[in-house]
């Protein structure tokens, strides 16, 4: 498995398109999140009115968490695969499940999981840059 991981990341170093795909949290956000959370993360995306509950204002997560960005909570919510269903329904897609099939198809089962997690890290990192 270590060889597979090393091969994936070595391949990314020589494949600028794949490296850009993995390293672009803003593009991922605009493609996957902005339609509900809005381009600036304020919860005012065009589909927000269609949901039962308005999307969160992502620019205030640090403020609501005592001035510290709750990185791992944001990561867990975006990924969604480990969230407890007893906490209610969620309108937000479970991005870990959404991303994984395509990543597995493109990179294989083990590397696909790594790529999916990296995409979620990129998203969480981008959301951190939205803090006001």
């Amino acid at each position: 498995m270590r060889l597979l991981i090393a091969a994936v990341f070595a391949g990314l170093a020589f494949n600028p398109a794949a490296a850009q795909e993995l390293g672009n949290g803003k593009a991922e956000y605009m493609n996957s999140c902005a339609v509900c959370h809005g381009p600036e993360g304020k919860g005012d995306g065009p589909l927000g009115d269609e949901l039962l509950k308005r999307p969160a204002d992502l620019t205030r997560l640090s403020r609501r968490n005592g001035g510290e960005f709750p990185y791992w909570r944001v990561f867990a919510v975006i990924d969604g695969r480990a969230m407890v269903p007893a906490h209610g329904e969620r309108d937000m897609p479970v991005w870990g499940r959404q991303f994984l099939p395509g990543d597995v198809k493109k990179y294989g089962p083990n590397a696909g999981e790594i790529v999916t997690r990296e995409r979620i890290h990129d998203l969480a990192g981008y959301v951190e840059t939205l803090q006001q």
Side-chain angles (χ1 to χ4, degrees), residues 12 16-33 99 115 118-127 129:
L12 292 176
Q20 183 178 11
E21 177 182 323
L22 288 177
N24 198 341
K26 181 177 182 178
E28 192 79 72
Y29 175 87
M30 296 306 283
N31 184 53
S32 302
C33 311
F99 294 156
V115 171
E118 186 63 27
R119 290 172 75 180
I120 295 166
H121 276 295
D122 287 346
L123 277 168
Y126 180 71
V127 170
T129 70

Side-chain angles (χ1 to χ4, degrees), residues 97-131:
R97 284 196 204 117
Q98 294 282 339
F99 294 156
L100 188 60
D103 292 340
V104 165
K105 185 176 180 181
K106 189 170 184 178
Y107 300 104
N110 292 325
E113 176 63 33
I114 293 167
V115 171
T116 293
R117 287 179 187 245
E118 186 63 27
R119 290 172 75 180
I120 295 166
H121 276 295
D122 287 346
L123 277 168
Y126 180 71
V127 170
E128 186 171 13
T129 70
L130 299 175
Q131 301 312 290

Side-chain angles (χ1 to χ4, degrees), residues 1-77:
M1 179 150 165
R2 288 183 186 170
L3 287 174
L4 179 59
I5 294 168
V8 167
F9 287 110
L12 292 176
F14 295 106
N15 184 343
Q20 183 178 11
E21 177 182 323
L22 288 177
N24 198 341
K26 181 177 182 178
E28 192 79 72
Y29 175 87
M30 296 306 283
N31 184 53
S32 302
C33 311
V35 69
C36 293
H37 289 282
E40 296 177 8
K42 295 183 184 272
D44 59 354
L47 287 184
D49 290 333
E50 304 299 321
L51 302 173
L52 294 175
K53 182 179 174 189
R54 291 284 309 163
D57 179 346
L58 301 176
T59 67
R60 299 178 183 270
L61 298 175
S62 290
R63 184 180 301 169
R64 289 185 294 187
N65 194 52
E68 184 175 326
F69 183 72
Y71 184 88
W72 290 107
R73 173 75 176 143
V74 171
F75 180 93
V77 169

